[in-house]
Amino acid sequence: MSAPTQSRPGFDVDRYTRAVEASDADALVSQYSDDAEMEMIDRRTPPSAPTVLHGRDEIGEAVRDLCSREMTHEVLQSVADDKHVAYTERCTYPDGNEVLSMTMLDLRDGRIVHQSTVQAWDEEARAMESARFAPVPEREQADHENLEAATVGGQTVVRLELEPGWRWSEHAKPFQGTDSCMMTHCGYIVSGTLCCRMDDGTEKEFHTGEVAFVPAGHDAWVVGDETATVIDWRAANPG
């Protein structure tokens, strides 16, 4: 760590920094208030449509997922006062790919009540790598869908199998916690038909054999009686 950290009454910045660098999810989650919010901004979710997580439980799921990944975390610089902490962080994957982020924490009564993070990713891997699709644990109990993911070169590819009757606003909305899907999708329709409706009312169907691009801010549903299978290389990548 190249810059000093400071401890302030009620919030221990040194403890927080150690937890970040040790990927200690429990220690990190314990420092959020029950009603905390987390905003994440990157190329996939720009300032006009950031990823927003509400409450310590929802934030905890994201923190535990991040801490479970095979990467190192290094806090580069940090400054703090009684109400705020700001720091930069570098995360490095085994293949050498890096993620650089800048984070601002707002504090209340010694706990984090709001977090804003802006992050940027390396674009290319530096070594060959392979992976197999595996179920996404938090979605294994979801109805009418099978969601699997594989990560190679620091990038995640998602395979979705969406059964007839599936609709984002009914079956996936509870997992995102937003009024519409705030992920950007770019994927190949292996089978079936999907219809997407943007928040402005624009609708488009995507059919077998097509490559689909859908910006953030939409609903989606399966059309007809055939399962829709999609390989999506954009949805899970914040860079």
Side-chain angles (χ1 to χ4, degrees):
M1 191 162 52
S2 61
T5 59
Q6 307 171 42
S7 294
R8 294 287 190 251
F11 187 83
D12 190 334
V13 180
D14 290 330
R15 174 173 173 253
Y16 179 85
T17 300
R18 289 193 299 271
V20 169
E21 297 191 326
S23 297
D24 188 339
D26 289 338
L28 288 171
V29 173
S30 70
Q31 298 182 68
Y32 290 88
S33 66
D34 290 341
D35 61 346
E37 284 193 341
M38 176 186 288
E39 287 185 288
M40 292 175 284
I41 299 169
D42 45 50
R43 189 179 67 183
R44 176 176 60 87
T45 55
S48 60
T51 297
V52 182
L53 304 177
H54 303 279
R56 183 163 56 188
D57 290 344
E58 191 169 321
I59 291 170
E61 291 182 10
V63 170
R64 290 186 173 88
D65 174 69
L66 179 63
C67 289
S68 70
R69 300 180 187 179
E70 189 178 357
M71 66 171 77
T72 60
H73 300 261
E74 181 184 7
V75 175
L76 303 176
Q77 294 178 311
S78 66
V79 293
D81 60 27
D82 293 340
K83 296 183 179 180
H84 306 92
V85 178
Y87 67 94
T88 57
E89 179 184 354
R90 179 169 57 214
C91 302
T92 306
Y93 284 91
D95 63 5
N97 267 1
E98 294 185 353
V99 184
L100 185 66
S101 64
M102 301 180 65
T103 296
M104 171 69 78
L105 307 176
D106 298 331
L107 309 176
R108 183 186 67 211
D109 299 328
R111 292 186 181 274
I112 302 166
V113 294
H114 188 270
Q115 174 176 333
S116 297
T117 296
V118 180
Q119 57 186 1
W121 294 61
D122 281 340
E123 294 294 331
E124 297 183 359
R126 301 178 185 177
M128 292 188 292
E129 188 178 355
S130 64
R132 294 184 181 276
F133 284 110
V136 177
E138 59 267 29
R139 299 289 281 270
E140 285 189 285
Q141 304 304 316
D143 291 331
H144 295 289
E145 70 172 41
N146 178 40
L147 181 62
E148 297 181 318
T151 300
V152 288
Q155 302 294 304
T156 299
V157 180
V158 174
R159 180 171 65 193
L160 302 97
E161 294 181 354
L162 308 173
E163 299 175 359
W166 178 90
R167 190 180 187 108
W168 183 91
S169 54
E170 181 178 350
H171 299 100
K173 181 177 180 178
F175 296 96
Q176 281 197 30
T178 53
D179 290 335
S180 56
C181 180
M182 298 310 300
M183 292 184 177
T184 296
H185 302 274
C186 188
Y188 176 67
I189 311 298
V190 179
S191 64
T193 301
L194 281 174
C195 185
C196 295
R197 178 187 293 140
M198 300 301 299
D199 289 345
D200 65 5
T202 305
E203 270 189 28
K204 182 174 177 57
E205 285 191 358
F206 300 95
H207 305 276
T208 300
E210 294 182 337
V211 177
F213 176 79
V214 183
H218 60 270
D219 193 8
W221 58 91
V222 174
V223 177
D225 298 326
E226 182 180 3
T227 295
T229 302
V230 184
I231 304 296
D232 190 332
W233 55 86
R234 181 73 183 273
N237 294 300

